[in-house]
Amino acid sequence: MKLKNVVKSAGILGALGLGSVAAQAMADQEYLLTITRPNQLHVIDMSSNTIARTCDIPGPFGTGSIALSPDNTHAYVLSNGTKDVYGFDIRNCDITFKAEQSSPTEQVISMQSIAVSADGKELYTVQNPIKKLSDRFEVEQPRLAVFDIDDGMNAKVVRTFPVDRRITKIAVTDENEVILGGADLKGINPNTGEVRMVSKLANWEKGPLWLPPDAFAMHSQGEQMHEYIMPYVTAKFDSEEWNFETAEWWWGISRVDLKTGKATRDEVLPFQFIIFNFVADPRNPDILYGAFNTLSKHDISKKETLIVHQMPHTYYDLNISGDGKTIYVGGTSSDISVHNSDTLEKIGSIQLTGDMSTSDLRVATIRN
């Protein structure tokens, strides 16, 4: 009986071991994506925090803006000073898409604005065109440009619609509305061009005691929460004389749920230091992390800053693992700083080949 029990136990343990191996083999794989100068896309294995592969991007560096396909297998980047778009299969660095946006008579800049449709069939940019005449340049109306991704290496615009100026970061909802980060947050239907107000900022209705918010959508990296966050700074004055020394200064966010397209806007934290970008904890939407000269952790349900960790230099942006346990802080220089999300203590570093400047940090989760 003892021998049988031993054999039985060994069989159970062996089955459990095989099951564990199989489970690991089937686990989703997370990759951290960023771009460095002179112009390379890095695909970083987040299970080991090592560079899995590096893809050379044609042309000179743009701003490092990255958009992911819905299945996260392809990354689309702005290059050539943000004039061109390239698409990469991040599993092997194959270039699968190219769109040259300028022409001999028109120069087009897209700044940070690039996104992929909810079904993965179209790519969107906000084009800021300048007509090149023989004796002068003429600034033209910005426009949302739509490309067919199946057009591959010779993609041309299939339709355009006029949009506001000052649009930088964009995103796409599950209903395929394109969220436009500009003076206000607006949404545009990329099939009809119909525009709606999503969240008022420059045109908000807070009244004469509130300073119109200063907002700039440089980074919005909420893929773990499937959201778009646009930070802003504002102040509440104690009288209409607007005494800046006695005003209450606030961080606020306009936050769009990309599943529903619905937005919230609120002043969430007292303004105590500069934060360039927020990302939410996927385990608790009230917990936000911010980065710039510090890495900080906040509970916006209580309007409290929980932890502030001093950083050795400026970092423009950050992202978080799917389990919410690990923070990656990057941009600006050539290192990505890795931190425990509970304590914000540094637990690692990823050294890259060049500086990231204004580049995104995107998390691509490939389902197995």
Side-chain angles (χ1 to χ4, degrees), residues 141-347:
Q141 171 72 41
R143 63 203 180 212
L144 179 77
V146 182
F147 297 88
D148 187 337
I149 287 178
D150 280 345
D151 285 344
M153 296 299 293
N154 191 31
K156 304 297 182 185
V157 175
V158 295
R159 58 187 182 276
T160 64
F161 302 100
V163 295
D164 294 340
R165 299 197 182 281
R166 283 185 54 188
I167 293 170
T168 47
K169 213 66 175 180
I170 63 176
V172 176
T173 70
D174 287 357
E175 297 298 319
N176 211 50
E177 180 181 51
V178 181
I179 302 299
L180 307 171
D184 296 302
L185 273 184
K186 295 185 177 180
I188 184 171
N189 183 320
N191 293 312
T192 66
E194 180 181 357
V195 175
R196 73 176 178 98
M197 181 68 74
V198 175
S199 181
K200 292 182 179 180
L201 291 168
N203 295 293
W204 73 349
E205 63 296 320
K206 295 281 282 189
L209 296 183
W210 284 90
L211 182 71
D214 180 7
F216 180 47
M218 188 66 185
H219 301 289
S220 179
Q221 302 179 137
E223 49 262 22
Q224 300 289 23
M225 290 288 291
H226 198 41
E227 66 180 1
Y228 180 106
I229 295 180
M230 186 167 174
Y232 63 85
V233 175
T234 185
K236 184 179 181 181
F237 299 97
D238 52 18
S239 74
E240 292 189 35
E241 294 180 359
W242 276 29
N243 185 333
F244 281 77
E245 293 184 359
T246 59
E248 294 180 6
W249 289 87
W250 288 91
W251 277 110
I253 57 172
S254 284
R255 193 173 196 175
V256 184
D257 182 336
L258 295 179
K259 181 179 180 180
T260 64
K262 294 181 179 179
T264 58
R265 189 199 70 203
D266 192 20
E267 289 69 61
V268 294
L269 297 166
F271 182 95
Q272 297 171 309
F273 44 83
I274 295 174
I275 298 170
F276 211 59
N277 186 42
F278 283 113
V279 68
D281 192 314
R283 300 166 297 181
N284 183 348
D286 288 328
I287 301 297
L288 297 186
Y289 304 89
F292 192 63
N293 293 327
T294 60
L295 172 62
S296 52
K297 182 175 182 178
H298 315 270
D299 185 340
I300 62 172
S301 68
K302 301 176 182 177
K303 300 186 186 297
E304 289 183 0
T305 296
L306 303 176
I307 309 173
V308 180
H309 182 87
Q310 294 295 323
M311 301 296 281
H313 62 78
T314 299
Y315 292 84
Y316 288 146
D317 54 4
L318 76 171
N319 217 320
I320 191 167
S321 59
D323 61 12
K325 296 180 180 180
T326 309
I327 303 284
Y328 295 84
V329 195
T332 314
S333 190
S334 59
D335 68 297
I336 297 173
S337 194
V338 187
H339 295 255
N340 179 295
S341 66
D342 290 332
T343 64
L344 300 191
E345 290 301 313
K346 185 172 181 175
I347 56 175

